[in-house]
Each structure stands twice: as structure tokens, then as C-alpha cells.
Amino acid sequence: MEGHDFIIGQEFPDVKAFRNAVKETAIAQHFELRILKSDLIRYIAKCAAEGCPWRIRAVKLPNAPTFTIRSLDGTHTCGKNAHTGHHQASVDWIVNFIEERLRENVNYKPKDILRDVYEQYGITIPYKQAWRAKERGLQSIYGSSEEGYFLLPLYCEQIKKNNPKSIAEVFTSGSDNRFQRVFISFYASIKGFLNGCLPIIGLGGIQLKSKYLGTLLSATSFDGDGGLFPLAFGVVDVESDESWMWFLSELRKALEMNTEIVPQITFLSKWQNGVGDAAKRKFPTSCHAVCMKHLTESIVREFKNPRLVQLLWKATYATSNIGFKEKMVEIEEISSEARNWLQQNYPPSRWAMMYFDGARFGHLSSNTDEFNQWVLEARELPITQVIEQIQTKLMVEFEERRAKSKTWFSVLTPSAEKHVIEAVNLASTYQVLRSDEVEFEVLSAERSDIVNIGSNSCSCCGWEMCGLPCSHGVAALLFSRKDVYAFTGNKYFTTASYCAAYEEEIHCVPGKTELIKEGETTLDGEIRSVRPPKVKRPPGRPEKKRMCIEDFNREKHTVHCSRCNQTGHYKSTCKSDG
């Protein structure tokens, strides 16, 4: 392999550099190495294959750390056949090989390490060795999981110091201060939500994959242009009814600290792990809908029929009781089990437009999955690194959106403006009949709809659902010579509200090195140290339970005993005396 040949007189900065060079050469040229002498002033090694004459000797130069090759004997006669594994390809060597790749991509997988080592050096290393190297490499770059918990209180204090009025609290359990939970909400997010976002909060969680596991809980909203707006997040040791009750209690307190009246909120979630009960108890005036993305994924997973998804969406958008019942009958015709499953687990009042009491402003699915993408690659890192990843992303997003909104000159945000323009274009093709001052009948080629501009409603339900006039509503407004923009009603879709959402800045927090220095200078007892939770990730690769669809329909094999002629056991386990 090119670049891995030595010459007599070749020099190296120090003994460590020379050792690494010899190791690299042995791995790259596929021969095993036997070290005869290695200290601070000399190094002697030979090929480990019996009878192979290759040998190298290097010494330290006087008055300098430099090492130079004094002799290089023989050429390899061993065939250089160390392809499957290599004694020199240690975990430390692999760590050195993958370090830069890990810095660029935290999600660099052990299987990718195996591939890259093979492609570059032509040797095969064990999967377990690659996995250990990744673990050690992450710890070298980002610190240990234990260090993350130890630094967590300091990190939270720095968040509050650099971002006044923000909330960052660590909760522990037991006399030994074991980590239990942490809740974080930046003041910029709280103020932005109250002043410029839709009164919708998506609730979700994602499993962390560090040594001590845990779950990241999040509360996210939508800005006036439909973008993700993270409001608060936290990490809990175990996701449960109790942890969701705690999280929503902290969220309620965060909002009450910054407004006299907490707005009526619509929650969107997967409707599991006690989320619904917690939302109802902590936000009694709120409404709670099932995230439609989750519901459609669930029905596909349960019944393996995409036709059910199409009918589910039609039932969701049904504008009358009759229309809804017709779609539910069609679902039952395909699968009575699917209809029963829906009724038992997801009542229509939690997802169907006809029966849901709250306002969703066109958002039937939460955006917590989009938020989870922010930390997807950081899930294996210490807890402080996960929080830092979120904070950095928040800083960037707030700055970019603040700058972007300064280029907007329309009353409404771009997506809302587009909605109105499209509605105006469609409205020009309709015929409008006036019933009285506020009620109109709007006729199109396909249907007839009743619009009431006094209550901002239309029989198509589009106006009520989106919070912006539908095309039928726009037709009625234009017919009565009204300003369409005066009926866009909700402040949430205005450019001014969007700017208010991102008005506050989020400031950075010192990195790990600075936090460690801060910890060393902090007086004992002023900030308590936190120990990791007792729950640990099991060693080795997680098991995957693979299920084949055909297995569900396959008839089970019945065992038969040849001694007593009965079923349910073999001859070897037969208890019959005969």
C-alpha cells in the first residue's frame, strides 16, 4: 500500500509517532508485528510470521525527541495474509481512525466503521470491537455520560444566567441525588408562543440512547407561517403517566409566570402514556386531539390496508353526521375489527372534524417528529450535549427566521397570503346568491355551500378549520364588497405576529471545558452535583423482534407422542406408564 514504506534515516517527531507509523504499516500491508524492544530511546520489531526476515530498528536522536530508523532488514516472505482481524488493529487504533468521522457524524454506525476499515486497509474487524471503539470515541470527544449528569446543574444555571427569565430546573431523587428529570423552556420561546404562535401544542417523546437511556419529552407549537416552534422540552428517566403529569405541570407554571391568562390551548398527541389525562388536569379548559399522522400509521400497522387510511381521512374531513357515518360504514365493510379498534381506542371526538370542539387551524398532526429530528443524531451523547444540540438549533432558527421576516411586506405571512390568493382565484368562478346581510349561498360547478360572514363560517367547514376564509367565504366577501383581509380574523397569521414570535434572542451557554472550570471554582454546596439514574442500557446490541406477516396466518405445528398417541408432548417427555 502506497505511503506505508520505510527507508533508513527516515525521521519521526517522537517515539509515539514512530510506533503509530509502524502499526499503520503492519495493518495496511497485512502482516502481524512482534515487538522485541520498545522504550523511550529505542524500538525494535520484526514480522511475527515464522521464518520471515523483515525487521526494523529505530533510536532516539541525542538532545531531541526525534526518532530515526537505523536499520531495515529483509523483505517479507510471509505472504502478508493477515486479512481477517489484526492484532495491531486495537480499539484505540480504531478510535484514532474514526475520530474525525465521529466529529462530523455522531450517528456513524459500527457497520460503517467495519466497511471503512475494510475499504481502506483490507482487514475485517469484529463488530463488537467497532462498537466499543465508537463508544470510546464519543466519550473522548464529548465526555462521559456520568460527566454529563455531573455538569447538568451548572449547565442549567448558565442557561438562566445568559437567558434571564428562562426556566432550567433539575429534579433528583434519593439522598444520593440521582437524576430523575430536567425541564427547560427559554424565555424567548415562552414569550414567542404567547405573543405570536397558534394556540396549539404538540406533545411527544423520543427515546435517548446514551448509557443511562431516558426519554426526551417536548412541547411544540406552530408559528403563523406553519413552521415548527419549540416551546419546552425535558428529559425524564422513564416515560410514564407520572412523568407527563410533571412535564405539563412545569409547562403550566412556565406560562402562568409570563401571562395573566393562559390561552385556551389545543393539544395534539399520540394519546398514550397518560398524556390526555395530564393535559386535562393541568389545562382544564383545553381541547385534546389525536395526532392524525400517528393515527394513520397505527391503523396501517394494525390492519395492513392502505384503503383504510383513505377512508379514515375522508371520515376526518366529513362535514355532516351522515357523511361521517357513511365513511365509517365503508371502513366496517373492509374490516369490522378496524372499526371496533377505532371506536375503542380513538373516539371520533378526538379526531373527526365534525365532533372535535377545539380549533386546530388546519393542523391535524403535531410537529414533534420534526423536533425529534433535531436530536436524532445526538441521542447517544451525554445529556448536556443533547440539550446543547437543541439550544444551538434554536439559536440558529430564531436568528434565521427573524432575518427572513424582515423581508416580508405583506400583511399576512407567505403561506397565509398564498392561501388567500388561491381562494380569491377560485372565488371568481363561483356564483353568489345573497340571503341577508351576512348569509350567502355560493354555487360552484360541483356543489352549493352556505356562508355566514358574521360568524366566519361555511358549510364546507374550511373557514372554521383553517382560521382563514375558504374560497366560498372569499366569494361572499367580494360579492358584498368587503375587504377580505379584514376577515382573516386571527392575528396568528399576520407578519406582525410572526415577528413577535421570534423577537427575543437566545444566547449561547459555555461549552464543556468552560463548565468544568466553572465547577472547579464553584463553592461546595452552592450547586449540588447530580449522579446518573440507576437504570442502565443493557450491554451489547439491542435485540430486534422480527415478525413476518405470513407467520400470523401459518397454522401452528402440533407435536405428537409416538408412545401414548396423544398430542402436546414428545415421547421423551411422555409421563405415560405404558
Side-chain angles (χ1 to χ4, degrees), residues 318-372:
T319 57
S320 66
N321 286 319
I322 295 174
F324 176 80
K325 290 177 180 178
E326 286 176 351
K327 297 309 169 189
M328 293 303 291
V329 168
E330 289 186 52
I331 289 175
E332 187 171 22
E333 288 173 353
I334 293 176
S335 171
S336 58
E337 291 85 357
R339 173 165 182 157
N340 292 335
W341 177 83
L342 272 173
Q343 290 178 330
Q344 291 171 9
N345 298 288
Y346 302 98
S349 60
R350 299 299 177 193
W351 53 274
M353 191 167 64
M354 269 300 301
Y355 305 106
F356 185 69
D357 293 332
R360 286 181 280 185
F361 301 94
H363 296 287
L364 303 188
S365 299
S366 77
N367 51 11
T368 53
D369 284 349
E370 185 181 347
F371 175 77
N372 291 341

Side-chain angles (χ1 to χ4, degrees), residues 238-308:
V238 178
E239 183 181 5
S240 62
D241 296 5
E242 183 189 358
S243 61
W244 273 113
M245 192 70 73
W246 162 82
F247 182 75
L248 288 174
S249 176
E250 294 301 311
L251 180 61
R252 175 87 193 192
K253 283 189 270 184
L255 295 175
E256 287 177 339
M257 288 169 60
N258 291 276
T259 183
E260 293 183 3
I261 302 175
V262 175
Q264 183 171 347
I265 293 168
T266 295
F267 287 100
L268 296 171
S269 78
K270 294 181 180 180
W271 196 258
Q272 61 185 21
N273 292 326
V275 178
D277 292 338
K280 201 64 186 172
R281 283 186 59 181
K282 299 303 176 182
F283 294 84
T285 62
S286 67
C287 298
H288 197 151
V290 178
C291 169
M292 283 303 296
K293 181 176 183 290
H294 165 73
L295 183 52
T296 53
E297 289 173 351
S298 297
I299 201 169
V300 168
R301 188 167 54 249
E302 288 286 334
F303 302 102
K304 314 292 189 299
N305 191 330
R307 175 66 181 151
L308 289 173

Side-chain angles (χ1 to χ4, degrees), residues 217-229:
L217 305 182
S218 60
T220 60
S221 186
F222 296 87
D223 61 34
D225 201 38
L228 166 69
F229 190 92

Side-chain angles (χ1 to χ4, degrees), residues 11-79:
E11 293 184 351
F12 301 85
D14 51 38
V15 65
K16 184 178 179 181
F18 177 71
R19 287 170 183 162
N20 289 337
V22 174
K23 181 182 286 191
E24 282 280 322
T25 299
I27 294 170
Q29 296 188 0
H30 303 157
F31 67 89
E32 290 290 359
L33 196 65
R34 180 175 297 168
I35 300 172
L36 304 177
K37 193 78 174 177
S38 178
D39 55 35
L40 296 178
I41 60 172
R42 57 190 164 179
Y43 183 99
I44 305 171
K46 59 173 287 187
C47 178
E50 189 174 349
C52 183
W54 188 89
R55 181 185 179 99
I56 191 169
R57 182 174 70 90
V59 298
K60 177 181 173 297
L61 294 179
N63 303 319
T66 308
F67 255 63
T68 183
I69 297 175
R70 284 286 190 242
S71 64
L72 187 60
D73 303 327
T75 56
H76 286 280
T77 59
C78 57

Side-chain angles (χ1 to χ4, degrees), residues 104-121:
E104 295 172 2
N105 178 19
V106 174
N107 204 31
Y108 188 42
K109 300 182 184 299
K111 65 178 183 179
D112 299 326
I113 297 173
L114 297 178
R115 182 200 62 218
D116 291 347
V117 168
Y118 182 78
E119 287 181 355
Q120 186 158 337
Y121 293 97

Side-chain angles (χ1 to χ4, degrees), residues 115-168:
R115 182 200 62 218
D116 291 347
V117 168
Y118 182 78
E119 287 181 355
Q120 186 158 337
Y121 293 97
I123 62 170
T124 303
I125 58 174
Y127 181 93
K128 193 172 184 179
Q129 203 166 355
W131 185 86
R132 284 177 175 169
K134 180 184 177 181
E135 291 282 296
R136 197 175 295 178
L138 288 175
Q139 183 170 325
S140 172
I141 299 168
Y142 299 103
S144 66
S145 294
E146 291 81 2
E147 185 180 64
Y149 288 107
F150 178 79
L151 294 175
L152 185 58
L154 281 169
Y155 193 93
C156 289
E157 288 300 316
Q158 289 297 319
I159 286 177
K160 292 185 285 188
K161 178 181 177 182
N162 294 357
N163 299 271
K165 298 184 182 180
S166 295
I167 299 169

Side-chain angles (χ1 to χ4, degrees), residues 149 152-154 156-157 160 167-185 217 233-238 242-243 245-254 257 383 387 527-534:
Y149 288 107
L152 185 58
L154 281 169
C156 289
E157 288 300 316
K160 292 185 285 188
I167 299 169
E169 298 295 337
V170 184
F171 298 79
T172 59
S173 62
S175 58
D176 54 352
N177 279 334
R178 295 279 180 181
F179 171 82
Q180 189 179 23
R181 298 160 184 160
V182 61
F183 179 87
I184 295 174
S185 185
L217 305 182
F233 61 94
V235 177
V236 296
D237 51 356
V238 178
E242 183 189 358
S243 61
M245 192 70 73
W246 162 82
F247 182 75
L248 288 174
S249 176
E250 294 301 311
L251 180 61
R252 175 87 193 192
K253 283 189 270 184
M257 288 169 60
I383 187 169
I387 297 171
I527 297 177
R528 73 188 189 284
S529 62
V530 173
R531 298 182 67 191
K534 292 183 179 179

